[in-house]
Amino acid sequence: MAAAEAVDVLVVSVAGTIGWTRGARELTDALARTGARAVQIEAARPNDVRTLMLTDLREAYAARRAARRGIAQHRPRAVLYCSTTSALWWPRPGGIWLDSTAASNRPGRHGAWQRPVERRRLAEAPVVLGWSPAAFDGARDSISDPPIVVRVPVEPSATVTTPLADRDLAAVAYIADPAKRRLDLTLAAWRAARREGETLIVAGADGTEEPGVRFAGRLEPAAFRALLRRARVFLATPRVEEYGIAALEALADGAQLVTTPAAGAYPALALASQLDPRLVADDPDSLAAALRVALDDPRQEYAARAAELLVPYRRSTMSEVLAGDVLPRLVPGWQA
């Protein structure tokens, strides 16, 4: 059997969060749009274990095994690892695309072995990419050359945005992790703000329904985006948010973002503050007041302004950055 033709870039990822699964797919597609021959290989996510140290170790070894298979099969000119965890035990140096560093999100004993290995990998990588400018926090001194921001793209899910006044849902929330995304705070704020006839739909989780609250459970992406197109408000109360694709999708589909501040990069927070700072609050009472402002006194230019601010998150922008800034540094002798 003839050997497979060598590819330009092998994208290595672990099937972890929804965000990373989507991000790796978008990255591979964007590389292909530049003219690069790109192939993605995805390692299965290991079963959950008790500690972050062991979780990262298992994921790093899974990525190492997947990378070895991909390198042997596709003979890539370059490798691009999705997340620092995927790169920790790499079999071959390559670029790293990260949402955050172990230096920032693995404090103390949680990152005892990851942080020193991460510093070496970032120093050895020919190019380091980040989902946002804050993605490099905690480890900028370890990165040899200037890092490059390559955002996970977020596109509107429909060609026409329904005006807020014509939307039939008051609010939507996405709570895949009730502790991290603080379901208790979401519900407390909604109970205080809600008026008769208004409904909050909670996607991503199951729960006990009550007046004005419905739980939609896990939804396919198209079904979730359909909810966003009907919602006047997207309510987000994360404790930590490295990126927050759901909040960015809500903005792309014309919903107002009512949110708390959060640890982590959370780029949607900065956008929300620019669009309407009245909608950023950090306790149940002020969140309830922010909800009422969004529902009763929305800024009419909100959706149009959000669309402008989301231009850096378009697929076309991602492809331009990869073609102009990333591939020349990642692939030896690169020519489109």
Side-chain angles (χ1 to χ4, degrees), residues 34 148 316-329 334 336:
T34 71
I148 301 170
S316 58
T317 303
M318 185 184 205
S319 294
E320 290 171 4
V321 174
L322 291 172
D325 300 329
V326 176
L327 286 169
R329 288 170 55 182
W334 167 253

Side-chain angles (χ1 to χ4, degrees), residues 12-84:
V12 179
S13 64
V14 176
T17 65
I18 293 173
W20 266 116
T21 297
R22 172 178 164 178
R25 184 175 63 248
E26 290 279 5
L27 177 64
T28 307
D29 291 345
L31 287 166
R33 290 194 297 272
T34 71
R37 291 165 296 175
V39 172
Q40 178 190 354
I41 187 162
E42 184 178 68
R45 185 170 188 259
N47 294 332
D48 290 337
V49 290
R50 294 183 58 130
T51 69
L52 291 174
M53 285 195 296
L54 185 54
T55 296
D56 291 345
L57 182 65
R58 288 162 63 90
E59 289 192 4
Y61 273 116
R64 178 183 177 86
R65 290 192 294 269
R68 281 178 164 171
R69 291 196 306 272
I71 291 167
Q73 180 179 357
H74 298 289
R75 297 178 293 122
R77 297 171 66 192
V79 182
L80 187 50
Y81 297 91
C82 289
S83 81
T84 50

Side-chain angles (χ1 to χ4, degrees), residues 154 156 161 247-257 268 271-272 274-276 299-314:
V154 177
T161 299
L248 293 169
E249 289 175 334
L251 291 173
D253 281 335
Q256 300 168 96
L257 176 57
L271 301 183
Q274 293 180 67
L275 290 164
D276 192 343
R299 291 187 172 175
Q300 296 306 308
E301 75 283 4
Y302 191 99
R305 179 62 177 146
E308 294 174 359
L309 293 177
L310 287 170
V311 168
Y313 296 83
R314 303 299 292 265

Side-chain angles (χ1 to χ4, degrees), residues 154-177:
V154 177
E155 301 279 347
S157 63
T159 56
V160 178
T161 299
T162 303
L164 290 174
D166 297 334
R167 298 186 173 212
D168 66 329
L169 284 179
V172 169
Y174 176 73
I175 310 286
D177 184 331

Side-chain angles (χ1 to χ4, degrees), residues 47-207:
N47 294 332
D48 290 337
V49 290
R50 294 183 58 130
T51 69
L52 291 174
M53 285 195 296
L54 185 54
T55 296
D56 291 345
L57 182 65
R58 288 162 63 90
E59 289 192 4
Y61 273 116
R64 178 183 177 86
R65 290 192 294 269
R68 281 178 164 171
R69 291 196 306 272
I71 291 167
Q73 180 179 357
H74 298 289
R75 297 178 293 122
R77 297 171 66 192
V79 182
L80 187 50
Y81 297 91
C82 289
S83 81
T84 50
T85 302
S86 294
L88 290 175
W89 294 118
W90 63 22
R92 168 179 159 181
I96 301 173
W97 192 35
L98 52 89
D99 60 344
S100 63
T101 62
S104 65
N105 68 13
R106 293 291 189 267
R109 62 182 177 81
H110 298 293
W113 73 269
Q114 301 98 309
R115 293 191 300 272
V117 178
E118 176 185 73
R119 288 194 294 271
R120 294 199 298 272
R121 295 295 175 261
L122 291 174
E124 295 163 348
V127 62
V128 177
L129 318 176
W131 286 22
S132 70
F136 315 108
D137 288 354
R140 291 179 185 272
D141 292 345
S142 301
I143 301 172
S144 301
D145 294 317
I148 301 170
V149 174
V150 178
R151 296 173 174 87
V152 178
V154 177
E155 301 279 347
S157 63
T159 56
V160 178
T161 299
T162 303
L164 290 174
D166 297 334
R167 298 186 173 212
D168 66 329
L169 284 179
V172 169
Y174 176 73
I175 310 286
D177 184 331
K180 181 179 177 181
R181 300 188 184 277
R182 297 192 287 187
L183 175 60
D184 54 348
L185 179 56
T186 296
L187 294 178
W190 179 248
R191 290 171 187 139
R194 176 183 177 266
R195 291 179 182 166
E196 189 66 30
E198 294 176 338
T199 298
L200 165 71
I201 295 184
V202 179
D206 297 312

